[in-house]
Amino acid sequence: MSQTYQMVTLKLRHNYFKNYVYIIIDNETRYGAIIDPAWELDEIEKTIAKYQIELKSILLTHAHYDHINLVNPLVDKYDADVYISAVESECFGFTCGNQIKISDNQILQLGNTSIKCMLTPGHTIGSTCFLCEKHIFTGDTLFSEGCGLCTSYSGSAEKMYHSIQKIKKEIPGNIRVYPAHSYGLKPGHKLDYLKYNNVYLMIDDKKIFMDYRMRKNQKNLLDFC
């Protein structure tokens, strides 16, 4: 069976921040879901017009500002529904128009395209990945080169360890990984590739993982490419 959707990647900027924003487009209906909209509203609106997208959904991996700052303008213009994990919304006090709270393993329907919500706490308490047929959108949980910081409010290295193990266990190796930031590698590497090239996927011992994630004097943590 052919894939029911296509995916558009946008690399958007503000000062030193560089965020990858993704739009899932259902092939038959042209319904769209945008993931973590940030920074350059004009570019997002041009892309929506170019691909003749009817924006139905805004999917939030977590509630940090660089992942949510265009939610309200997009809701105002397109009347899209906004999906965020219940625990994340409650922890951060995040509210917006058309907000819908989601839970682990919940399935969202975008036309003929199914999107699975996968709760992966660690970077924040309610961080969520979104899984489609051939792609997983990991926000700040899993990068191609590493994993998200666990030092900010509600972060937990122990929870991150369990989330990384969950991804390794539940996600097929041929699924391509699309994070919100890059430290040099382009998004879209298969999970099997990352298992042999990303140190956090290579560590199975919880204590070693936690000690390494929380090690002192880490540099260039916001040096996004």
Side-chain angles (χ1 to χ4, degrees):
M1 188 172 68
S2 61
Q3 187 172 299
T4 62
Y5 64 93
Q6 60 181 296
M7 189 267 291
V8 176
T9 299
L10 299 173
K11 185 177 181 180
L12 305 177
R13 298 170 171 82
H14 176 72
N15 296 330
Y16 60 85
F17 277 101
K18 299 181 182 70
N19 287 59
Y20 281 94
V21 173
Y22 306 101
I23 305 178
I24 303 165
I25 310 166
D26 182 69
N27 289 331
E28 182 173 335
T29 63
R30 308 306 296 172
Y31 291 169
I34 189 167
I35 301 170
D36 290 352
W39 304 136
E40 297 182 65
L41 182 60
D42 287 349
E43 289 302 314
I44 291 173
E45 291 178 339
K46 287 177 185 177
T47 302
I48 290 172
K50 175 182 176 180
Y51 288 91
Q52 299 180 311
I53 298 166
E54 185 177 347
L55 190 66
K56 288 287 189 179
S57 305
I58 298 171
L59 310 181
L60 302 180
T61 63
H62 62 293
H64 284 164
Y65 183 72
D66 63 312
H67 296 254
I68 65 170
N69 63 78
L70 292 184
V71 167
N72 288 330
L74 291 174
V75 170
D76 289 344
K77 181 165 184 175
Y78 300 102
D79 197 31
D81 291 328
V82 181
Y83 296 89
I84 186 170
S85 72
V87 65
E88 186 81 355
S89 174
E90 291 157 10
C91 178
F92 283 85
F94 175 82
T95 60
C96 66
N98 299 348
Q99 180 175 317
I100 299 172
K101 296 177 182 179
I102 55 177
S103 56
D104 192 27
N105 294 320
Q106 184 172 339
I107 303 297
L108 308 179
Q109 205 64 34
L110 183 73
N112 296 316
T113 300
S114 297
I115 304 170
K116 182 178 180 179
C117 308
M118 186 175 182
L119 192 64
T120 53
H123 181 60
T124 63
I125 195 170
S127 288
T128 301
C129 297
F130 296 99
L131 175 66
C132 293
E133 181 185 348
K134 295 183 178 180
H135 307 80
I136 185 168
F137 304 93
T138 54
D140 287 1
T141 295
L142 178 64
F143 303 127
S144 299
E145 311 86 350
C147 70
L149 292 172
C150 301
T151 53
S152 59
Y153 175 66
S154 84
S156 165
E158 182 174 8
K159 287 184 172 66
M160 180 66 84
Y161 167 80
H162 290 296
S163 291
I164 295 295
Q165 298 306 309
K166 179 180 181 178
I167 289 170
K168 289 164 60 176
K169 180 180 178 181
E170 297 185 11
I171 303 302
N174 65 339
I175 295 294
R176 294 188 180 274
V177 177
Y178 287 84
H181 304 288
S182 168
Y183 290 90
L185 292 176
K186 290 184 65 175
H189 287 280
K190 290 182 179 180
L191 183 61
D192 272 345
Y193 174 86
L194 299 187
K195 285 179 180 177
Y196 292 98
N197 292 275
N198 182 328
V199 65
Y200 291 100
L201 290 170
M202 299 166 68
I203 301 173
D204 290 322
D205 182 273
K206 182 170 71 171
K207 185 180 186 305
I208 294 173
F209 180 98
M210 292 174 61
D211 287 346
Y212 187 69
R213 174 63 285 186
M214 302 302 288
R215 67 195 185 278
K216 296 181 179 180
N217 301 317
Q218 297 181 57
K219 298 179 180 180
N220 303 320
L221 296 177
L222 297 179
D223 191 12
F224 302 134
C225 296

